[in-house]
């Protein structure tokens, strides 16, 4: 199935209908409870030919005789064949290069920002596999106080932009309680939100504002301070410095005064210049880069595995 046109399937596996009690529930029972059940006459298969079972037996184990037999060469050939099929489908669906709308938007954004793919030692400047996943942007004009402003994002740092509605908790989920459309209709893919970092550097120190952009615009989610200039801090962020660092991560942002939270958001959009064009570019370029990296990933895999 072509991934670029497929909607993500997130339907959990159905519990087998012959299970009287889910196995997860039985495993969570205490040993004393299990012993009590085991000693119960009705739980013993020898007590009667019509003995009652509290737990259905587990499904039979899959043995080698149930599986298709492969030689090592056949397994490699089949995997390579499926990967090649997926590559061909994605290539056929591709517009061939960067889409015209994204190209035009990139040109507009480039008037104020320098756009670079990769991080030194991580990104494509050294030709590493997966090099295009991280993108850096540097504003050409300094901030009003002479600070250097940068943006960094990763093409996979996206998520469905679904907002919780207290009056309709199933909204957007489809299915019986949501508006999933008529049976057989293709479900509409939800809008995407993207996370990115905005850095403001001056005097060898940098403020990092972790942001999220969706239908409601830009929101700031956290603010922390780091030593180092924009380049070094962006490298740390791209390398996963994040919440697992030993340094102070800044206050819980939602606990700050509401006017302070709003002030940070205004600073990002007005002082840093992260306007609608920039956030649209980040979102669209994430989609484009992720698709390019996906095809590159399959081609690298097939070269190694087949």
């Amino acid at each position: 199935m072509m991934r670029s046109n497929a909607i993500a399937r997130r339907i959990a596996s159905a519990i087998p209908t012959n299970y009287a009690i889910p196995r997860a529930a039985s495993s969570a029972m205490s040993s004393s409870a299990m012993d009590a059940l085991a000693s119960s006459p009705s739980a013993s298969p020898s007590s009667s030919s019509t003995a009652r079972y509290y737990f259905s037996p587990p499904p039979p184990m899959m043995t080698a005789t149930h599986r298709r037999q492969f030689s090592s060469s056949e397994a490699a050939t089949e995997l390579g064949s499926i990967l090649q099929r997926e590559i061909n489908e994605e290539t056929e669906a591709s517009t061939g290069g960067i889409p015209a709308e994204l190209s035009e938007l990139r040109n507009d954004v480039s008037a104020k920002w320098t756009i670079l793919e990769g991080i030194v030692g991580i990104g494509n400047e050294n030709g590493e596999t997966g090099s295009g996943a991280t993108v850096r942007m540097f504003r050409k004009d300094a901030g009003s106080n002479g600070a250097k402003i940068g943006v960094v994002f990763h093409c996979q740092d996206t998520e469905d932009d679904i907002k919780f509605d207290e009056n309709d908790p199933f909204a957007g989920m489809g299915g019986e309680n949501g508006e999933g459309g008529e049976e057989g209709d293709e479900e509409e893919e939800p809008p995407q939100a993207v996370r990115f970092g905005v850095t403001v550097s001056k005097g060898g120190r940098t403020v990092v504002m972790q942001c999220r952009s969706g239908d409601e615009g830009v929101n700031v989610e956290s603010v922390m301070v780091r030593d180092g200039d924009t380049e070094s801090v962006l490298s740390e962020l791209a390398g996963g410095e994040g919440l697992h660092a030993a340094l102070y991560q800044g206050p819980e942002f939602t606990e700050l005064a509401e006017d302070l939270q709003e002030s940070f958001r205004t600073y990002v959009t007005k002082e840093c210049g992260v306007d609608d064009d920039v956030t649209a570019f980040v979102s669209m370029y994430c989609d484009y880069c992720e698709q390019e990296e996906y095809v590159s990933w399959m081609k690298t895999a097939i070269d190694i595995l087949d």
Side-chain angles (χ1 to χ4, degrees):
M1 179 177 293
M2 196 179 346
R3 197 187 73 130
S4 58
N5 293 334
I7 299 173
R9 270 70 173 175
R10 298 190 179 100
I11 302 175
S13 300
I15 299 174
T17 55
N18 67 321
Y19 273 41
I21 297 177
R23 297 182 66 195
S26 66
S27 63
M29 297 181 70
S30 66
S31 59
S32 59
M34 293 293 289
D35 291 340
L37 285 174
S39 61
S40 171
S42 61
S44 172
S46 61
S47 62
S48 168
S49 60
T50 59
R52 177 182 175 187
Y53 285 83
Y54 284 85
F55 304 98
S56 298
M61 294 289 291
M62 181 69 76
T63 64
T65 57
H66 294 96
R67 301 188 186 99
R68 180 180 172 187
Q69 299 296 310
F70 285 102
S71 68
S72 59
S73 61
E74 288 174 333
T77 299
E78 182 184 61
L79 177 58
S81 174
I82 295 174
L83 282 170
Q84 189 59 56
R85 180 198 69 199
E86 294 296 305
I87 292 171
N88 293 341
E89 289 182 352
E90 296 296 338
T91 302
E92 290 172 4
S94 172
T95 57
I98 187 169
E101 182 181 2
L102 177 55
S103 178
E104 181 179 353
L105 181 58
R106 176 170 181 159
N107 289 337
D108 292 341
V109 172
S110 295
K112 297 180 180 179
W113 296 80
T114 300
I115 302 169
L116 302 173
E117 292 186 2
I119 298 287
V120 175
I122 299 174
N124 65 353
E125 289 158 357
N126 293 332
E128 288 91 338
T129 300
S131 58
T134 300
V135 178
R136 294 168 296 157
M137 300 170 58
F138 297 99
R139 210 177 82 170
K140 294 180 179 180
D141 294 333
S144 60
N145 62 350
K148 186 175 182 179
I149 297 169
V151 170
V152 61
F153 60 93
H154 189 283
C155 69
Q156 291 178 298
D157 204 0
T158 60
E159 62 186 14
D160 291 345
D161 190 23
I162 299 176
K163 292 168 282 295
F164 180 74
D165 185 348
E166 292 181 355
N167 298 320
D168 187 4
F170 297 100
M173 296 176 62
E176 187 174 326
N177 296 314
E179 299 180 0
E182 296 181 3
E183 186 176 354
D185 289 349
E186 185 174 334
E187 185 180 349
E188 183 178 352
E189 188 173 356
Q192 294 290 295
V194 59
R195 284 187 163 83
F196 57 92
V198 177
T199 62
V200 180
S201 301
K202 182 180 179 183
R205 291 183 296 179
T206 297
V207 172
V208 180
M209 290 164 281
Q210 297 283 14
C211 303
R212 180 184 187 274
S213 176
D215 279 351
E216 296 182 347
V218 175
N219 285 308
V220 179
E221 296 188 325
S222 69
V223 179
M224 53 188 173
V225 179
R226 291 289 179 264
D227 289 335
D229 59 12
T230 297
E231 192 71 52
S232 63
V233 171
L234 288 179
S235 295
E236 289 177 357
L237 292 174
E241 190 257 7
L243 294 175
H244 300 291
L247 302 176
Y248 180 59
Q249 301 297 313
E252 187 69 33
F253 192 77
T254 55
E255 295 179 358
L256 297 176
E258 290 187 4
D259 58 346
L260 181 55
Q261 295 181 45
E262 182 62 22
S263 239
F264 272 114
R265 192 194 73 81
T266 302
Y267 186 91
V268 167
T269 57
K270 302 299 183 182
E271 172 67 15
C272 297
V274 182
D275 56 17
D276 290 343
D277 282 349
V278 171
T279 55
F281 170 75
V282 170
S283 179
M284 293 173 65
Y285 208 65
C286 275
D287 289 341
Y288 169 73
C289 288
E290 204 281 333
Q291 183 65 18
E292 292 293 300
E293 289 298 321
Y294 171 56
V295 174
S296 176
W297 170 81
M298 287 193 293
K299 289 179 178 179
T300 303
I302 199 173
D303 286 343
I304 299 170
L305 301 176
D306 186 12

